[in-house]
Amino acid sequence: MSATSPTSWLNSDLSPSQRADLLLQQLSLDEKLAQVSCYFPTDITKTGDFAERFPFGIGEVSCLEARSALSLDEVTAFQRRVQAEALKHSRHGIPAIFHMEGLCGAYLPGATSFPSGLARAAGWNAALERKVGEIVGKQERAVGITHTLAPVLDISRDPRMGRHGETYGEDPALASALGVAYTQGLQSQDHDGRRTEAVAKHFVGSHHTEGGIHGAHCNVPDRTLMEIYAKPFQAAISEAGLRGVMPSYNSVGGEPVTASVRLLQTVLRDHMGFDGLVVSDYGAIGNLHSVQHVAQSAAEAGLAALRAGLDVELHVPQGFGPELRAWFAEGRADIALLDRAVEHVLQAKFRMGLFENPFAPEPTERDTSFRLPADTAVSIQSARESLVLLTNDGALPLRSGIRKLAVIGCHATTARFFFGGYTHYSMAEGKLAANASMAGLTASSDAVQALTNTIPGTTIEASDGAAFEELLQQQKPGVRSLLEVLVERMPRTEVEWAYGYPIAGTDESRHEEALDLAAEADVILLTLGGKHGTASIASTGEGIDATDINLPACQEQLIVKLAQLGKPMIGIHLDGRPVSSDAADQYLSALLEAWSPAEGGAEAIIDVLLGAHSPSGRLPVSIARNAGQVPVYYNHPHGSSWHQGESIGFPDYVDSPHTPRYFFGHGLSYTTFDYTGLSVSKEQVVADEGFNVSFAITNTGERAGTEVVQLYASDRYASVSRPVVELIGFRRVTLEPGQNTRVDFHIETSQLAFLDAEMQWKVEAGDVDILVGASSADIRLKASINISSDALIDGKSRSFYAR
């Protein structure tokens, strides 16, 4: 067919951009508006309203409610049915994009669930993170989903925010490496040519909000915004070809990101080079009018978002509705804004291969590779590598010959607590809550009831009913509790359990039975923490923020009481924010941070407790002593935090140290490692060169183990205040007892660039210390380089982490 024929956009030999441009010319105003809108079914078995609501086809279809599906066949039938309707009602047969979350796996029956983002960050394993992305993409494409709302590239310095556990932590280099790997894994394709496109979120600065409140305003300096919060997005764009971005709900410097020309156009597209699809967070355009009050009507909100560079409104039309259509028809709104957005949508559909393969694969094809044993192994490996041993006086690994083990804590008898926010189970479980609302979604009036079954001393709804366990068995029939695996793996030990306390609050009514059980035991094992999840049954999660980041009083007080028994106590913490507890630090013999480990949680934890696996997780965040310290982060500028300088004269608060409870990068092992022989390939470097760092590491203990070696840099003097130290590279190194190896890094000098006083990316002349250590506070080796001269560079093409 000729390149100028009316249907030449069907020619797959043309580029997606060329095809989109040709097809755009054929579309009416109604057809264009359909392409920037989304269909959100509240029940995937009942989609008869599609034709009436979207008579001209549709741009996107939400698959959130697949969380309630009972079988993959049900999801496949939904996708094929709705896609057929979308094609039928589009004059030109334009397919819909189906989207789903993907942070911790697909919301699909039988899909693999993965540990939380913060847990996976604690594994410091980019190669494994790429495998996670590959599995999520593969499983979602198997039911026709090609838009995955992940990775989460937010940098989090505030554990008060309930979404802390979704992130890769506080460091932009670590988040960049993991985000690039996940994006590369996710944006692969199946043998039919369907290709997933990632939608990274939440651009930008969403965890810098005032008060740690989800979606609230944030005042973040431009330099911090670009050097810290935007860095993982830039890395994913530059190195992984990131194709999708979701703006955050919040305002930055008075501008809601959803309507910010400066952030979505000038920064994201012009400066950062992003050329993909920008989709709104659920309900974010409506928020411009109803919440942030920067638009006098929904239509004005929609126009403001389009003007800023947003392409698709999720999850239902609010701003992109009839009134805005009339404005385009009357010439009151510039149709070029709509055309640009539609062109971006069409380009994505052509890139995804949807015109050639719009439908989900047939079940026989789907089931051949949907879930493989290797997928489960990746989840278990991720959980195992995420576990961080914070303290240990020798109580771990558990010695053989323990006569009686007392297990205390509400988390021990069910696997429900392993599944954090944005796992399939958590999302489905949230629908059982009396108040099941989420950001962007509002529960029906019959569902939002007065919360009568609350945990004493809290507004959190108790969730210990049979329905929750039935849902777990339906979704994850083979996933066992911590107690079940302990009993199996310790057949010669009498393992008994006591409830002890709930996930939050002040209830001490069941302390006595726990104390009685513990009095008869040789060792006490405590499960600690809250519930990372969704809606009113969770103590941390989306929109579930807190002013207290420490263990609840009911747990803290029982630790104090148990300490009077003088027996070894081991704590296992499960939650969306890391453990912070004075009593735990003072009285526990060992403390293991387990985060939200998902389906491999019990096996991974017991492997570490019994010594079958040496712990290798390292903290991706600094742990504050209490909320009054927030924010506390390791890469703070010279002259601040615990490096405030001698001229200030006050090394601590009057009631607490300035230092964190546990430092970024910290984590213990069952063996020891010695670092020697640091060398730098050149002491004098120029801006467009790189240099190599090499050193030896030896396992000097009696057990095999994995060390996470961490490479840092510190700019001695600079024209603007720079971090006292910042991570520039990392590597997992596994060694047998007595084994040694050399570790080599290559660093491009552009990685040391920063924004100067004129906000230009500069590699600045001067001395830079190169530091090698086991954590940000445990530096073992030191060398230095000298950058010979200044150079301005392109921020898009700079290096983001050492290789």
Side-chain angles (χ1 to χ4, degrees), residues 656-692:
S656 174
H658 284 159
T659 54
R661 189 181 294 275
Y662 300 108
F663 290 89
F664 175 85
H666 169 71
L668 303 178
S669 174
Y670 290 157
T671 188
T672 54
F673 298 93
D674 188 35
Y675 295 67
T676 57
L678 176 63
S679 66
V680 178
S681 62
K682 41 179 101 164
E683 295 181 357
Q684 194 85 14
V685 299
V686 296
D688 60 352
E689 291 182 342
F691 59 96
N692 299 321

Side-chain angles (χ1 to χ4, degrees), residues 420-623:
Y422 278 83
T423 55
H424 182 199
Y425 176 74
S426 169
M427 278 292 176
E429 180 189 46
K431 295 185 71 174
L432 298 175
N435 184 349
S437 63
M438 291 176 57
L441 303 176
T442 303
S444 66
S445 55
D446 332 345
V448 182
Q449 309 161 11
L451 298 179
T452 55
N453 184 29
T454 55
I455 297 169
T458 77
T459 58
I460 300 166
E461 179 187 357
S463 59
D464 49 7
F468 294 95
E469 286 299 322
E470 289 170 4
L471 178 63
L472 179 66
Q473 293 309 311
Q474 172 195 310
Q475 282 199 2
K476 301 291 180 183
V479 177
R480 296 181 296 169
S481 71
L482 194 67
L483 190 65
E484 289 174 313
V485 178
L486 268 172
V487 169
E488 178 187 279
R489 299 275 294 273
M490 301 182 72
R492 298 180 180 177
T493 298
E494 183 181 355
V495 180
E496 293 195 15
W497 172 77
Y499 179 86
Y501 37 65
I503 62 170
T506 57
D507 184 9
E508 299 184 12
S509 62
R510 301 184 67 175
H511 281 191
E512 284 305 316
E513 62 177 330
L515 288 164
D516 290 343
L517 176 65
E520 301 174 358
D522 300 321
V523 178
I524 303 164
L525 187 67
L526 297 150
T527 63
L528 303 165
K531 177 169 176 51
H532 184 205
T534 305
S536 56
I537 56 175
S539 60
T540 181
E542 183 172 330
I544 307 167
D545 310 318
T547 60
D548 189 348
I549 63 169
N550 300 101
L551 286 182
C554 60
Q555 298 180 20
E556 192 87 353
Q557 289 306 310
L558 184 55
I559 292 173
V560 174
K561 294 175 184 178
L562 287 167
Q564 308 311 308
L565 299 174
K567 299 186 177 187
M569 291 192 294
I570 297 160
I572 301 167
H573 185 256
L574 297 157
D575 212 333
R577 60 173 60 91
V579 63
S580 185
S581 163
D582 291 340
D585 283 355
Q586 184 173 354
Y587 298 116
L588 295 190
S589 301
L591 180 58
L592 186 69
E593 179 56 71
W595 317 100
S596 301
E599 56 193 52
E603 288 78 5
I605 292 169
I606 303 307
D607 280 348
V608 167
L609 292 182
L610 298 182
H613 178 80
S614 181
S616 62
R618 302 294 183 263
L619 287 177
V621 289
S622 307
I623 298 182

Side-chain angles (χ1 to χ4, degrees), residues 93-109:
I94 304 175
I97 298 172
F98 288 74
H99 72 252
M100 178 179 275
E101 299 288 351
L103 168 62
C104 299
Y107 300 166
L108 297 170

Side-chain angles (χ1 to χ4, degrees), residues 55-118:
F56 300 97
I58 196 66
E60 295 244 3
V61 177
S62 170
C63 296
L64 174 64
E65 290 309 317
R67 58 180 168 168
S68 301
L70 299 178
S71 70
L72 281 177
D73 287 347
E74 195 172 276
V75 183
T76 295
F78 156 71
Q79 195 277 347
R80 295 175 73 89
R81 184 173 65 253
V82 174
Q83 188 69 286
E85 286 290 305
L87 292 167
K88 173 183 174 182
H89 291 284
S90 167
R91 283 188 305 146
H92 306 285
I94 304 175
I97 298 172
F98 288 74
H99 72 252
M100 178 179 275
E101 299 288 351
L103 168 62
C104 299
Y107 300 166
L108 297 170
T112 311
S113 292
F114 296 96
S116 63
L118 200 56

Side-chain angles (χ1 to χ4, degrees), residues 19-263:
R19 296 174 75 182
D21 184 59
L22 290 166
L23 179 53
L24 176 64
Q25 297 173 33
Q26 307 296 318
L27 302 186
S28 68
L29 174 58
D30 288 316
E31 289 169 329
K32 291 176 182 178
L33 281 167
Q35 291 304 306
V36 297
S37 298
C38 178
Y39 173 47
F40 177 77
T42 56
D43 183 340
I44 66 169
T45 66
K46 299 174 182 177
T47 55
D49 60 340
F50 178 86
E52 179 182 351
R53 293 175 59 191
F54 302 102
F56 300 97
I58 196 66
E60 295 244 3
V61 177
S62 170
C63 296
L64 174 64
E65 290 309 317
R67 58 180 168 168
S68 301
L70 299 178
S71 70
L72 281 177
D73 287 347
E74 195 172 276
V75 183
T76 295
F78 156 71
Q79 195 277 347
R80 295 175 73 89
R81 184 173 65 253
V82 174
Q83 188 69 286
E85 286 290 305
L87 292 167
K88 173 183 174 182
H89 291 284
S90 167
R91 283 188 305 146
H92 306 285
I94 304 175
I97 298 172
F98 288 74
H99 72 252
M100 178 179 275
E101 299 288 351
L103 168 62
C104 299
Y107 300 166
L108 297 170
T112 311
S113 292
F114 296 96
S116 63
L118 200 56
R120 302 203 309 270
W124 296 60
N125 191 336
L128 187 65
E129 189 67 1
R130 179 164 183 157
K131 291 181 181 179
V132 172
E134 289 172 353
I135 294 166
V136 175
K138 174 192 70 171
Q139 293 184 344
E140 294 196 355
R141 286 194 305 278
V143 292
I145 296 166
T146 55
H147 228 187
T148 299
L149 309 185
V152 173
L153 298 183
D154 299 323
I155 298 298
S156 184
R157 294 172 166 179
D158 195 338
R160 295 174 301 175
M161 181 178 276
R163 305 190 76 167
H164 191 59
E166 296 176 29
T167 75
Y168 288 132
E170 74 182 42
D171 182 76
L174 178 60
S176 294
L178 296 176
V180 165
Y182 184 96
T183 303
Q184 289 171 332
L186 189 65
Q187 291 191 163
S188 50
Q189 65 182 32
D190 57 31
H191 67 272
D192 285 333
R194 292 181 200 85
R195 180 179 290 275
T196 297
E197 294 198 353
V199 179
K201 54 185 190 177
H202 306 83
F203 188 83
V204 63
S206 68
H207 282 247
H208 196 90
T209 57
E210 294 177 347
I213 300 170
H214 179 248
H217 175 70
C218 70
N219 279 312
V220 53
D222 287 346
R223 182 173 288 104
T224 302
L225 190 79
M226 297 306 300
E227 291 184 351
I228 304 297
Y229 292 109
K231 181 175 178 176
F233 290 91
Q234 182 69 79
I237 293 166
S238 299
E239 297 194 0
L242 175 69
R243 287 298 192 178
V245 162
M246 177 181 284
S248 53
Y249 283 115
N250 56 283
S251 298
V252 173
E255 296 180 60
V257 182
T258 301
S260 174
V261 175
R262 179 176 71 91
L263 293 173

